Amino acid sequence: MTEHRIAVLPGDGIGPEVMDEALKVLRRISEKYSFEAAHQEFAVGGAALDATGNTTPLPQETLEGCENASAILFGSVGGPKWESLPPDIQPERGALLPLRKHFGLFANLRPGVCHPALIDASPVKNSLIPNGFDVLCVRELTGGIYFGSPKERREEGGEEIAVDTMVYRTSEVERIARVAFEAAMVRDKRVCSVDKANVLQNSMLWRETVIRVAKDYPEVQLSHLYVDNAAMQLIRYAPDYDVIVTGNLFGDILSDEMAMISGSLGMLPSASLGSPDTDGLNFGLYEPSGGSAPDIAGQGIANPIAQILSLAMLLRYSLGEREAADSVDKAVEEAIAAGYRTGDIYRGSENEKLVNTSDMGNAIVERL
Ligand code: IPM
Ligand code: MN
């Protein structure tokens, strides 16, 4: 029996609640496909700050646990309780960003899927997207303005100034562009690269590099958009896009927009991947795109689907359990088709059943 090791980091807010449902799915799916999924939980984010007396949101033990695993299943971190701590130890900056950097997880895949059955949950008029849409956002995750230096606040001319630095190296653009083109090859063979090449030096290098990489993928149709226009075009008609590739900051923003127009932030998973090993498997961190949602935490009403679909991505990209991954995706679709809805996607029509977090998890597990 194949044995896999997964580091489970539930984190804060709704993280632990939705993680419970993903772990139910993991137990069921590993029985069904006869693999061993040893998973161990570690503290991260606010939960780790609480446990360490506000010392660190990413304890050494957690980091080592991740190093000893093939993948990280991550919940979400952050919340009002920790927002006034020094920036370096806040959950997002002190745990999530360092984890991405430490493991070289440069490729962030965020599938923005609007299921036809959930079209009513999208704020875009049904008549404009009658068949829903399926767009994959490929966001560069370890470069750009998030990580460039200097990054500081200092005195200048008698006042305080703040500096962030946007840096992209050709090699960084090249490798993320390849991820996007490879993804497009097994989808609809269209890549749209998003930049701000009318203003930024970074974007000029970005665009030239993407155009060069595109030569290796003659079957893929490449287009370009400035980010401001991309924000409009996605709302206007998302089905025009197949794969969107963009830098760290623009990808952060556009992927939230995509999540919104797809119906609910609670539906979208994500995979943050490094380079594949010789078997084609990637170490990765898998997390819902949505965040810790402190406003609804602890009520048992959060949508666990993003966490469960993140697990499906983990099975596919880090464990190579492709059939298991497909069957999780399918079970989620079936639960949606059967009318199960958490509050975020419930619109009150006759065939819908309003359920809580664990009922939704159970509905999915029953279909596996
Ligand atoms: C995301 C989040 C993070 C990011 C924050 C929490 C640092 O918004 O994963 O999109 O900006 O990358
Ligand atoms: Mn974000």
Side-chain angles (χ1 to χ4, degrees):
M1 199 186 265
T2 323
E3 202 190 304
H4 304 294
R5 206 179 287 197
I6 303 172
V8 173
L9 278 54
D12 311 318
I14 60 169
E17 302 164 39
V18 292
M19 186 65 83
D20 283 346
E21 304 312 310
L23 293 179
K24 280 186 199 165
V25 169
L26 179 62
R27 272 191 291 277
R28 173 80 191 97
I29 201 80
S30 57
E31 275 164 30
K32 185 169 169 189
Y33 289 92
S34 308
F35 61 85
E36 185 90 42
H39 55 277
Q40 199 177 344
E41 283 194 23
F42 297 95
V44 74
L49 286 164
D50 289 352
T52 62
N54 284 349
T55 314
T56 172
L58 183 61
Q60 191 57 31
E61 195 199 341
T62 301
L63 197 59
E64 280 167 17
C66 295
E67 279 170 350
N68 292 329
S70 326
I72 305 168
L73 188 60
F74 194 93
S76 50
V77 292
K81 185 173 174 192
W82 307 283
E83 267 164 20
S84 49
L85 291 173
D88 285 355
I89 60 163
Q90 283 180 16
E92 296 86 341
R93 262 170 291 192
L96 188 53
L97 297 183
L99 269 174
R100 290 172 180 170
K101 196 71 177 175
H102 179 81
F103 290 104
L105 307 176
F106 67 91
N108 184 218
L109 311 185
R110 296 189 167 180
V113 179
C114 178
H115 298 263
L118 287 179
I119 259 179
D120 283 343
S122 171
V124 175
K125 281 199 196 85
N126 292 7
S127 57
L128 297 180
I129 42 166
N131 303 312
F133 56 83
D134 178 352
V135 182
L136 177 67
C137 179
V138 177
R139 168 189 176 194
E140 200 291 327
L141 202 61
T142 50
I145 199 164
Y146 274 51
F147 290 98
S149 62
K151 188 178 207 46
E152 64 190 13
R153 291 163 71 143
R154 59 170 190 256
E155 287 280 312
E156 202 177 283
E159 64 180 337
E160 191 182 16
I161 68 162
V163 181
D164 294 280
T165 307
M166 185 157 175
V167 187
Y168 267 118
R169 310 177 71 84
T170 306
S171 54
E172 288 175 312
V173 182
E174 229 174 81
R175 66 181 181 178
I176 194 71
R178 285 196 192 283
V179 170
F181 284 105
E182 293 289 339
M185 285 301 287
V186 293
R187 293 173 51 100
D188 202 35
K189 300 197 169 75
R190 291 178 289 142
V191 168
C192 176
S193 169
V194 173
D195 60 37
K196 187 71 185 169
N198 50 348
V199 179
L200 303 177
Q201 290 291 342
N202 268 270
S203 289
M204 294 173 213
L205 177 74
W206 180 280
R207 194 177 279 217
E208 286 161 25
T209 308
V210 172
I211 289 172
R212 207 169 47 246
V213 172
K215 299 209 163 72
D216 293 341
Y217 301 88
E219 287 172 56
V220 177
Q221 182 198 324
L222 172 65
S223 61
H224 304 271
L225 283 178
Y226 297 139
V227 62
D228 47 352
N229 189 17
M232 287 199 306
Q233 298 304 332
L234 273 174
I235 292 185
R236 187 188 58 79
Y237 193 58
D240 269 351
Y241 303 95
D242 175 30
V243 175
I244 288 183
V245 63
T246 189
N248 206 341
L249 179 63
F250 300 157
D252 184 26
I253 299 165
L254 290 181
S255 59
D256 268 27
E257 181 185 332
M258 235 170 50
M260 189 67 235
I261 59 175
S262 76
S264 169
L265 211 46
M267 296 287 298
L268 296 200
S270 81
S272 304
L273 306 175
S275 301
D277 63 18
T278 45
D279 298 327
L281 297 179
N282 301 66
F283 182 84
L285 180 153
Y286 301 82
E287 61 176 322
S289 293
S292 62
D295 52 323
I296 58 162
Q299 300 176 35
I301 58 170
N303 188 342
I305 289 182
Q307 189 75 60
I308 290 169
L309 292 176
S310 298
L311 170 66
M313 293 182 97
L314 181 156
L315 295 167
R316 179 172 298 117
Y317 295 116
S318 286
L319 308 189
E321 299 286 353
R322 293 190 178 81
E323 278 179 44
D326 290 344
S327 81
V328 173
D329 285 347
K330 190 159 154 276
V332 168
E333 296 239 336
E334 286 173 7
I336 292 168
Y340 290 91
R341 302 283 187 274
T342 42
D344 55 317
I345 50 174
Y346 179 72
R347 288 297 171 273
S349 73
E350 265 168 35
N351 57 341
E352 293 185 340
K353 297 185 242 320
L354 179 62
V355 296
N356 62 23
T357 307
S358 88
D359 293 336
M360 179 64 100
N362 295 340
I364 293 166
V365 169
E366 280 161 18
R367 286 167 175 76
L368 282 169

